[in-house]
Amino acid sequence: MSFVSKKSALRVTVAAVAMASFALTAPQASAVEAVPAAGGVQISAAADATTRAVVKAQPVAAAATANLCGAGYELTFAEQLPDSRRFGTLFTYRKEGVGSCAVFDNNLGTAKYMKLKICETSKPRPAGTPRPCQTDEGNFSQYAGPVRVNDVCGEVTAVMKSNNIAIIDRVRLVPPCK
């Protein structure tokens, strides 16, 4: 099965579980939050208070998105976007010696255009050579990602549009950036 097919199958599984448990979720809860947690989320010692508050408020979503990244990743950052209205939540995870992983959770429950991109920023590149990036974009009702960058400083961009207007447009660095 190709990566795209596996990803599509995972989205279908997440959607099916979400639909089955929709009546049990909050009105603005994401379908990813409906997936049962597979253990606790490892939170990086460097995670800020905002990240810890998001995990406390959305523990199942944090666990589900961590599972998308894979075993051994620690949550480094979580942010409700664009603000407390929480149209989406950006999660970034890091696995020492491997790299960073990001997932952009759609909390609206309806398909929106979403783009999640992560690019290497710290390695010097010859002039005119593009930075290595990984992007996931399309109309998603669940999440965009996961996208990964090697164990270098990276920049993640999360965009969500409604009626062709950006309702979320966030860019931030991911560890191990200083």
Side-chain angles (χ1 to χ4, degrees):
M1 185 180 284
S2 72
F3 174 75
V4 173
S5 296
K6 287 180 183 176
K7 186 171 181 186
S8 295
L10 180 59
R11 280 202 170 113
V12 168
T13 301
V14 169
V17 170
M19 290 175 72
S21 61
F22 183 72
L24 301 175
T25 60
Q28 228 184 12
S30 162
V32 172
E33 291 175 320
V35 177
V41 176
Q42 295 178 359
I43 302 174
S44 169
D48 63 13
T50 300
T51 296
R52 293 174 191 283
V54 169
V55 172
K56 186 175 180 179
Q58 303 176 52
V60 177
T65 54
N67 287 334
L68 292 171
C69 288
Y73 280 84
E74 290 183 336
L75 179 66
T76 57
F77 179 78
E79 180 180 20
Q80 295 177 344
L81 297 171
D83 47 38
S84 63
R85 292 175 290 172
R86 195 173 73 113
F87 298 160
T89 306
L90 176 62
F91 293 95
T92 64
Y93 298 85
R94 182 161 190 267
K95 187 173 184 177
E96 188 69 38
V98 175
S100 294
C101 173
V103 177
F104 184 21
D105 195 16
N106 178 344
N107 303 130
L108 294 175
T110 61
K112 296 290 181 198
Y113 169 82
M114 298 175 72
K115 179 178 182 179
L116 182 62
K117 180 169 92 171
I118 194 165
C119 300
E120 291 182 7
T121 61
S122 62
K123 288 186 178 179
R125 309 213 53 82
T129 305
R131 297 182 295 169
C133 297
Q134 192 177 69
T135 304
D136 188 25
E137 66 182 307
N139 291 309
F140 304 127
S141 60
Q142 306 299 315
Y143 58 88
V147 293
R148 294 175 169 73
V149 68
N150 292 327
D151 202 20
V152 296
C153 180
E155 180 181 83
V156 65
T157 302
V159 175
M160 179 185 282
K161 291 184 179 181
S162 182
N163 297 321
N164 233 9
I165 297 170
I167 58 175
I168 296 174
D169 189 355
R170 179 74 163 108
V171 178
R172 68 165 285 109
L173 295 176
V174 297
C177 299
K178 304 266 188 247

